[in-house]
Amino acid sequence: MSTFLLYIQVKNSTGDALVWISGTEPTVVTLEDGDYVLHEVAAPNGYEKATDIKFTVKDGKASVEGGIDMVDEIITTTTTTTTTTTTTTTTTTTTTTTTTTTTTTTTTTTTTTTTTATTTAPVTAKVNINKVDAGGKEVPGAELTLTGTDADGNKITFTDDQIKAGEGAKVKNSTGDALVWISGTEPTVVTLEDGDYVLHEVAAPNGYEKATDIPFTIKDGVASVEGGIDMVDEIITTTTTTTTTTTTTTTTETTSTTTTTEATTTTTQIATGP
């Protein structure tokens, strides 16, 4: 077995491990034959831990001749500041000044999203609807209805603000798929979107005939009937047949005429002289 001297502070000298703190001189251990591992548990400040060193003792001789040098490398610190290393012949003092400037920049980005909803109002046309007689005079009391379909053939749904009754007129229905009103003495105004419409007379006033349906179209806010609609009710004409009976009386008069003839005899004497 090899015998070495120990000049250090021993932390553990029994059991299955020898533990010590290194000093300024080598540590000597006496070992039997076997395989050994020298391990650095902790390096001094400023040094890196060394790699484990394996060695063998056989027949009283160590596989590492002259002893074991376990080398600790000095920790090199690289910073953005200046590191000054002062070296003397006896002591190496490494003075490391680390100035750490931490600049924390907090950038708050506020994203404002503005959503602009553009609502395009439908293009509409105002149409005056007149209920008149053959002379152009407004006829009150007629029940009228207006229906329509859009470009896809769907029924148009009306709202309250689409009909304005004229003087003396009365609105019976202002919502749904039909506008219904009774005519007055002034035109009724309807506001209509693009589509195909039919004006129909449900019932005419007394003494008038129902008018024929009037179809019309609104396209791009322009009505196909310029100047409004005149729905004309014709007056019902009553024909009276008068029979005249003539009686002729003939009177016959008989006149009897009696003629009396009188004969007058005239005697004339003629005297003859010698």
Side-chain angles (χ1 to χ4, degrees), residues 136-183:
K137 182 180 178 182
E138 290 286 339
V139 177
E143 183 174 346
L144 305 176
T145 181
L146 181 68
T147 57
T149 56
D150 61 19
D152 297 324
N154 300 316
K155 288 183 179 181
I156 291 176
T157 301
F158 298 97
T159 56
D160 286 326
D161 58 351
Q162 287 186 260
I163 183 168
K164 182 179 180 182
E167 183 71 26
K170 179 182 178 182
V171 177
K172 295 183 67 177
N173 186 68
S174 60
T175 59
D177 58 8
L179 297 177
V180 183
W181 70 97
I182 305 297
S183 64

Side-chain angles (χ1 to χ4, degrees), residues 62 64 76 79 90 112 125-126 140 143 174 179 183 185 208 224 234:
V64 282
T76 302
T79 66
T90 56
T112 303
K126 291 184 181 295
E143 183 174 346
S174 60
L179 297 177
S183 64
T185 57
Y208 290 89
S224 60
E234 298 288 345

